[in-house]
Amino acid sequence: MDYQEALAYIHSHRRFGAKPGLERMRALLTLLGNPQEQLSCVHIAGTNGKGSTVAMIASVLRAAGYKTGMYISPYVLEYRERIQVNGEMIPRDALVRLVERIQPFAEQAGELTEFELNTALAFCWFAEQGCGIVVLETGLGGRFDATNVIQHPLLCVITSIGLDHTEILGDTLAQIAAEKCGICKPGVRTVVSARQAPEAFEIIRQHVVGRNGAVMVSVSDVELEQTLATAQMRISGSEISLNGLKLHLPLAGEHQILNAWTAFTALHELSKKGFPKAAQASALRSGLESVRFPVRIETVCTDPLTILDGAHNPQGAQTLARALEMLGETPVTGVMGVLSDKDSAGALDALAPRFRRLICVTPDNPRALDAHDLAARADALGLQSSAAHTLEEGLFLAQAVAKSEQGAVVVCGSLYLAAQARKLLLKKEADGCG
């Protein structure tokens, strides 16, 4: 088996199981010797912000000198991004070797999903590498997520709860919160992000305190607002103060300041759980200042200014729209493509006031919404829109317009689309993208 064959094997499995539950995952891990039981994990769930929060926590733990595993979903540029140790992706040969090891056991465990295989691979690699701590992001939900086989996490974290995957998780914030906080365990402290909707916050409190008898550590809305009031925010990042610690946060937008406060609070909790260096000022500053997370309001070109963001639900789109206010009166041309199972109307409604025009494209994904259908939805909102034949054509047209009017381009609507655009833009000649 070579690397491409290993990826083909992983991707040949279905996205969702025929029946929700953890039985298949537990069966597979038992056959593999339960590698997850060798790991000390920080388990993170939420609708928005969990990937950035994972990246921040992992970056600080690395800076503090801990051998740190990081598991994220989905990947942006390459599959191996999902599974990292000390910021290094799992090597190709190691991935092939582990797929070959897992394959015969996978056939015994039942009809596994792709994410279940991904998670088993990650647990095996982290255990093999002797990680001192693993920062683990759920894929979908929490209660039945493959990562939820972790029985005794060091700490749980719940980031912002919003409406996404409603066909699976429920169509109210309370229902979605109940699924997300299914990761919370008896006696395990849970950090909860600020600015939670009251109905979501109450469900989380009931699960953590009422059902599990644990402590819920809520990020302070007051401290967050004080940080936002004094922050110097630019599209390239922000100068902020976290409880007196002044630093540069390279991830743009006030939502990333919220995520930084969540990570900061989680790291202080970890410092009480056998990781004292996690809250040292030097590690916090170095880790947060060096954190990188592609296609989260990421500037990839400066002439014209071209920004990528993976926002794919109304809450994420609202967050992006608020960040774009930092551009002032700069005319913005949007390049947008969405998946058909997402709330494109809600995302369009949030972003329309920030866009002067919109070029719609069809992401290279079997679940993609056709560009012409998206353009029709945008037209219904009164947004000047058109459909491009390809993403490359859409980017060319948008950048040409932006150059002519000293404007900016924002590519959004899907992590898949943003990742595809990133590859195209970074390959362009220097004179095509400054």
Side-chain angles (χ1 to χ4, degrees):
M1 180 181 290
D2 62 20
Y3 178 66
Q4 293 303 324
E5 289 170 336
L7 287 185
Y9 171 73
I10 294 168
H11 296 326
S12 69
H13 291 73
R14 66 174 70 187
R15 287 187 68 226
F16 303 114
K19 180 181 178 182
L22 298 175
E23 293 79 10
R24 296 180 302 272
M25 191 66 189
R26 291 190 179 118
L28 174 59
L29 291 171
T30 298
L31 292 167
L32 290 168
N34 286 314
Q36 79 282 5
E37 294 183 0
Q38 302 175 40
L39 306 174
S40 297
C41 297
V42 180
H43 203 180
I44 301 181
T47 305
N48 292 300
K50 62 183 187 293
S52 298
T53 304
V54 165
M56 291 180 192
I57 293 173
S59 185
V60 172
L61 289 170
R62 290 198 305 273
Y66 299 110
K67 191 168 189 179
T68 305
M70 183 175 77
Y71 183 55
I72 57 173
S73 176
Y75 67 92
V76 175
L77 306 176
E78 182 179 349
Y79 170 85
R80 296 183 299 130
E81 290 172 29
R82 288 180 179 271
I83 304 169
Q84 301 181 36
V85 174
N86 280 354
E88 297 293 329
M89 295 185 291
I90 181 173
R92 291 189 175 206
D93 58 348
L95 178 69
V96 171
R97 174 171 53 78
L98 288 176
V99 169
E100 289 177 335
R101 176 189 168 196
I102 289 172
Q103 188 173 9
F105 296 122
E107 294 170 0
Q108 298 177 49
E111 293 188 37
L112 293 164
T113 66
E114 180 176 340
F115 188 72
E116 287 168 338
L117 278 176
N118 295 335
T119 305
L121 279 166
F123 287 149
C124 287
W125 182 241
F126 296 146
E128 186 177 301
Q129 291 296 295
C131 289
I133 188 167
V134 172
V135 190
L136 195 65
E137 178 185 357
T138 59
L140 177 65
R143 185 165 61 111
F144 292 133
D145 191 83
T147 61
N148 205 27
V149 293
I150 295 292
Q151 292 299 305
H152 304 288
L154 291 168
L155 182 72
C156 295
V157 179
I158 305 295
T159 65
S160 178
I161 301 295
L163 295 174
D164 198 10
H165 299 290
T166 53
E167 73 285 359
I168 297 171
L169 302 179
D171 56 8
T172 69
L173 290 177
Q175 290 173 323
I176 292 172
E179 291 295 327
K180 301 288 186 181
C181 63
I183 68 167
C184 302
K185 303 294 190 299
V188 177
R189 296 169 80 92
T190 297
V191 171
V192 182
S193 292
R195 289 184 170 178
Q196 292 286 2
E199 58 267 43
F201 185 87
E202 177 57 23
I203 291 295
I204 298 168
R205 190 195 64 78
Q206 289 175 14
H207 274 71
V208 176
V209 180
R211 181 175 300 180
N212 291 322
V215 173
M216 186 171 78
V217 183
S218 302
V219 177
S220 169
D221 285 325
V222 173
E223 289 182 312
L224 171 63
E225 296 307 322
Q226 288 175 343
T227 298
L228 290 172
T230 59
Q232 299 176 36
M233 289 186 281
R234 296 178 292 276
I235 205 66
S236 59
S238 301
E239 308 300 324
I240 63 173
S241 176
L242 298 175
N243 198 29
L245 179 70
K246 298 183 184 302
L247 57 88
H248 171 71
L249 185 65
L251 304 181
E254 71 173 45
H255 64 294
Q256 295 293 9
I257 300 176
L258 164 61
N259 295 333
W261 257 112
T262 306
F264 182 83
T265 305
L267 288 156
H268 273 273
E269 291 299 316
L270 288 173
S271 72
K272 308 170 189 175
K273 299 280 292 183
F275 295 85
K277 294 184 289 184
Q280 288 181 346
S282 58
L284 287 163
R285 178 177 287 110
S286 175
L288 291 173
E289 289 186 344
S290 62
V291 70
R292 297 290 182 271
F293 210 46
V295 305
R296 271 65 173 186
I297 313 184
E298 180 188 19
T299 298
V300 291
C301 302
T302 57
D303 183 23
L305 178 65
T306 304
I307 297 164
L308 305 180
D309 191 68
H312 56 276
N313 57 44
Q315 186 179 9
Q318 290 162 10
T319 297
L320 173 60
R322 286 194 296 271
L324 293 179
E325 291 175 6
M326 289 185 284
L327 296 179
E329 297 302 315
T330 302
V332 177
T333 298
V335 177
M336 190 173 185
V338 301
L339 303 185
S340 58
D341 56 356
K342 299 298 180 182
D343 183 1
S344 58
L348 281 168
D349 191 54
L351 289 165
R354 297 303 310 152
F355 290 160
R356 176 169 292 187
R357 66 188 63 78
L358 181 66
I359 299 173
C360 301
V361 299
T362 306
D364 183 15
N365 186 288
R367 292 153 47 218
L369 180 70
D370 184 80
H372 292 87
D373 292 336
L374 181 62
R377 297 179 186 186
D379 287 340
L381 292 173
L383 187 59
Q384 179 186 336
S385 62
S386 60
H389 292 94
T390 65
L391 173 58
E392 192 166 14
E393 177 186 292
L395 291 172
F396 175 82
L397 292 171
Q399 289 194 319
V401 170
K403 280 188 175 183
S404 70
E405 60 185 18
Q406 296 184 315
V409 175
V410 173
V411 183
C412 63
S414 161
L415 278 169
Y416 299 100
L417 181 81
Q420 293 160 12
R422 194 177 194 272
K423 289 179 182 178
L424 289 171
L425 291 167
L426 293 181
K427 286 180 180 178
K428 290 188 71 173
E429 297 292 334
D431 61 352
C433 191

